[in-house]
Amino acid sequence: MTAYFVAGTDTEIGKTFVTCTLLHAARNRGLTAIGMKPIAAGAETVNGEFINEDAARLRAAGSFDPGLALLNPYCLTSPIAPHIAAAEEGVRIDAGRIHDAFAALTTQADVVFVEGVGGFRVPLDDDYDTADLARDMGLPVILVVGMKLGCINHALLTAEAIAARGLNLAGWVANRIDPAMLRFEQNLDALRQRLSAPLLGVVPFQADGNPAAAAGALKLPF
């Protein structure tokens, strides 16, 4: 079994899309691959099922449906910072519940991609954040860099935060969320020079958001 924690430089930078793309890339190699979204904020009832959109996309991209209780242990209603949503809804996020769900998933798949929520240091309660969760899970990290103005600073700071927690940055993905970004290649080169981990690929901008079609753009870190 292989597993990775997928972190992002910010929110709304295509972390779920890249995680789905990684799932398709793994499946293309004949592996059984599952995505996990430990905490999601923002959900609605669809066909009688209370579900977060990101969790639904991960479920669709995986080899099979492991059930939302394992794939998305904490699904909060409001699309706001998870520690605020949890407090408003009277929910205490228990890392043990997340670890148990992850352990169950590892018995069912060759590879599990655990997608964080928002950026790398999003609070989950008063004294625990997503970086703490990644540290406690002890997984190598894949960093999704949303290619836009400011991405170099965001990526380098996130890489420092990952290293500060003793985690291995296994690779990073450049996701072209802004097709009109000026000096894209120069920004990409700057990141290549400054990030010690390998570039796993450049995911092209896709108006239709088709992760299966983008899977060929990525190299898996294993």
Side-chain angles (χ1 to χ4, degrees):
M1 191 283 305
T2 301
Y4 292 87
F5 192 94
V6 182
T9 50
D10 202 349
T11 191
E12 299 298 327
I13 49 84
K15 190 166 67 275
T16 300
F17 180 76
V18 171
T19 305
C20 290
T21 303
L22 289 165
L23 286 166
H24 281 287
R27 293 176 63 187
N28 289 345
R29 279 177 45 176
L31 300 171
T32 304
I34 290 296
M36 180 185 186
K37 183 84 173 179
I39 306 108
E44 60 184 0
T45 300
V46 179
N47 297 325
E49 185 177 51
F50 187 67
I51 191 168
N52 168 265
E53 180 183 358
D54 290 350
R57 291 165 65 189
L58 291 177
R59 181 169 66 177
S63 297
F64 62 91
D65 179 8
L68 289 177
L70 298 181
L71 189 153
N72 181 206
Y74 286 98
C75 184
L76 303 166
T77 301
S78 299
I80 57 177
H83 72 293
I84 299 174
E88 290 182 353
E89 296 171 33
V91 174
R92 178 182 173 274
I93 295 175
D94 177 12
R97 177 174 165 185
I98 294 170
H99 293 309
D100 289 345
F102 171 71
L105 289 177
T106 63
T107 67
Q108 302 178 32
D110 298 318
V111 58
V112 179
F113 293 105
V114 181
E115 183 193 340
V117 55
F120 187 62
R121 289 216 56 196
V122 171
L124 301 179
D125 61 23
D126 290 343
D127 55 9
Y128 197 78
D129 64 18
T130 310
D132 295 323
L133 177 64
R135 177 203 62 207
D136 292 345
M137 297 186 83
L139 300 177
V141 179
I142 296 173
L143 178 61
V144 180
V145 181
M147 297 301 292
K148 61 179 180 178
L149 184 64
C151 66
I152 297 174
N153 179 62
H154 287 169
L156 297 182
L157 287 175
T158 305
E160 286 184 3
I162 291 167
R165 282 152 185 82
L167 296 172
N168 172 42
L169 181 58
W172 61 283
V173 176
N175 188 25
R176 294 205 69 170
I177 58 175
D178 178 7
M181 181 186 184
L182 298 176
R183 310 297 186 271
F184 169 78
E185 291 295 339
Q186 290 93 326
N187 278 269
L188 188 67
D189 287 343
L191 287 166
R192 277 197 183 111
Q193 294 166 13
R194 290 165 175 82
L195 289 172
S196 59
L199 172 62
L200 301 179
V202 178
V203 176
F205 175 80
Q206 289 191 354
D208 62 350
N210 185 345
L218 292 185
K219 296 180 294 183
L220 294 171
F222 58 93

